[in-house]
């Protein structure tokens, strides 16, 4: 990987236009409906260049992409001293979501106690469904929504149900998801410690790899904080690509539905394949470009053989 280099505003505008062309081509090939907002870091701290803006203000079901927003609300309570990451929550048989995504439904041994930090780690890496309910135990749906509105995200809201501690993951727009991610990496969403906690999870090797990060080396994957969401015929993904020094370079919110293969939740779904090609192409197009803003250095990947 090359070190980030200085690029003129014209260079960046050209890269942004090529990113737009890649998105048009790949989304067209995948078919269905796409709502997207993608930006490229500006030169010398200038505003980001908008590369893709397609139905960016359409409010849609965000599914598990909104787990980032849920985590931000929980961590806001941590930042205010109302919760701690090492406090324990109880995993009962009644709270476990059967099947679906994650690991809490696999252990088959309840009740158990886990820390809030453990629940959040599962929420943002393997997208654990039971972890959503565990978050609800310490931050009810109404408070999640209030926190997000206060932070400037009125369209990024969970959907309350009769039980105040449970909720569906709710809605967002591509622009708001993009802006929430920009606020996260910019340090204005939650505290610096909470920000690094979230980014360490979203950039970890065990985080989602079927989409944007699929056609990449382990070092390249570590430069990308990403979260996917899927349900019915929808396949979404949003995240941030950092430059090799750790500065935010590309922010993306890619929402898609209506493609063929609604029952395929693997890497062969047309929209997921499109995102994999998009990620590889964007990484190549921005090779050598420097990002802008707060630097967030990734954690080196050190595999273990036990012991």
């Amino acid at each position: 990987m090359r070190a980030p280099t200085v690029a003129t505003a014209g260079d960046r505008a050209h890269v942004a236009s090529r990113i737009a062309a890649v998105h048009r081509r790949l989304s067209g090939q995948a078919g269905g409906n796409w709502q997207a907002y993608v930006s490229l870091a500006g030169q010398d701290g200038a505003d980001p260049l908008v590369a893709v803006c397609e139905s960016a203000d359409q409010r849609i079901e965000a599914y598990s992409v909104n787990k980032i927003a849920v985590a931000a609300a929980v961590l806001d309570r941590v930042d205010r001293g109302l919760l701690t990451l090492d406090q324990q929550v109880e995993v009962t048989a009644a709270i476990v979501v059967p099947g679906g995504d994650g690991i809490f439904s696999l252990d088959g041994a309840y009740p158990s106690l886990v820390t809030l930090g453990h629940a959040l780690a599962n929420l943002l890496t393997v997208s654990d469904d039971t972890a959503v309910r565990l978050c609800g135990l310490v931050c009810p749906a109404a408070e999640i929504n209030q926190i997000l509105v206060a932070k400037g995200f009125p369209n990024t809201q969970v959907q309350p149900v009769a039980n105040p501690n449970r909720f569906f993951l709710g809605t967002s727009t591509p622009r708001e998801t993009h802006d929430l991610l920009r606020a996260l990496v910019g340090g204005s969403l939650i505290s610096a410690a909470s920000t690094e906690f979230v980014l360490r999870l979203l950039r970890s090797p065990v985080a989602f790899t079927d989409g944007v990060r699929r056609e990449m080396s382990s070092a390249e994957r570590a430069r990308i904080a990403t979260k996917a969401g899927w349900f019915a015929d929808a396949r979404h993904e949003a995240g941030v690509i950092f430059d090799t020094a750790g500065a935010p370079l590309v922010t993306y919110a890619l929402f898609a539905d209506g493609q063929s293969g609604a029952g395929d939740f693997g890497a062969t779904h047309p929209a997921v394949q499109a995102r994999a090609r998009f990620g590889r192409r964007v990484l190549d197009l921005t090779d050598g470009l420097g990002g802008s803003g707060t630097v967030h250095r990734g954690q080196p990947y050190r595999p273990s053989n036990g012991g």
Side-chain angles (χ1 to χ4, degrees):
M1 294 181 292
R2 292 186 291 164
T5 59
V6 176
T8 67
D11 293 334
R12 290 181 184 269
H14 178 64
V15 171
S17 69
R18 294 189 69 183
I19 291 173
V22 169
H23 179 265
R24 281 195 303 271
R25 175 172 58 83
L26 293 175
S27 61
Q29 291 172 353
N33 311 303
W34 289 77
Q35 304 87 33
Y37 197 85
V38 182
S39 70
L40 174 67
Q43 183 183 19
D44 299 327
D47 290 339
L49 286 72
V50 178
V52 178
C53 183
E54 182 176 343
S55 301
D57 297 309
Q58 182 175 332
R59 188 169 180 172
I60 53 180
E61 293 287 340
Y63 300 122
S64 288
V65 169
N66 261 7
K67 288 175 181 174
I68 300 175
V70 170
V74 172
L75 288 165
D76 178 83
R77 299 199 80 216
V78 172
D79 293 341
R80 288 183 283 135
L82 303 175
L83 301 171
T84 62
L85 289 179
D86 62 357
Q87 77 178 66
Q88 294 182 322
V89 290
E90 186 175 21
V91 184
T92 64
I95 207 170
V96 171
V97 179
D101 299 300
I103 64 171
F104 284 117
S105 64
L106 300 178
D107 61 48
Y110 318 108
S112 63
L113 293 173
V114 299
T115 64
L116 180 56
H118 183 76
L120 288 171
N122 282 283
L123 181 79
L124 295 180
T125 56
V126 295
S127 201
D128 196 292
D129 295 326
T130 297
V132 176
R133 293 182 174 182
L134 296 176
C135 288
L137 292 178
V138 298
C139 193
E143 185 165 2
I144 290 173
N145 286 341
Q146 290 167 1
I147 290 170
L148 292 171
V149 168
K151 291 181 179 294
F153 304 103
N155 294 305
T156 305
Q157 300 280 280
V158 299
Q159 180 185 338
V161 296
N163 183 333
N165 297 105
R166 293 191 184 179
F167 48 85
F168 293 112
L169 286 163
T171 62
S172 188
T173 70
R175 191 189 305 271
E176 271 201 9
T177 294
H178 167 278
D179 291 351
L180 186 146
L181 288 166
R182 290 277 303 166
L184 175 68
V185 299
S188 62
L189 185 68
I190 46 181
S191 72
S194 292
T195 296
E196 291 307 317
F197 176 70
V198 169
L199 293 178
R200 179 166 57 86
L201 295 172
L202 295 177
R203 295 171 75 171
S204 67
V206 73
F208 188 72
T209 56
D210 273 352
V212 167
R213 303 204 303 172
R214 187 165 83 213
E215 303 298 329
M216 296 181 185
S217 69
S218 56
E220 289 169 334
R221 286 178 174 179
R223 289 175 48 197
I224 300 174
T226 201
K227 183 73 191 73
W230 51 88
F231 191 77
D233 68 342
R235 303 292 186 275
H236 307 328
E237 188 172 358
V240 179
I241 299 174
F242 298 88
D243 68 20
T244 55
L249 180 58
V250 175
T251 307
Y252 58 89
L254 306 171
F255 294 82
D257 64 80
Q259 292 78 25
S260 62
D264 177 7
F265 294 95
T268 56
H269 185 279
V272 180
Q273 288 184 320
R275 297 201 315 266
R277 296 180 185 120
F278 179 82
R280 179 69 260 170
R281 190 71 182 112
V282 169
L283 205 68
D284 291 341
L285 286 170
T286 58
D287 183 33
L289 288 184
S292 178
T294 304
V295 170
H296 302 277
R297 301 192 185 280
Q299 301 291 317
Y301 177 49
R302 297 188 179 96
S304 170
N305 193 32

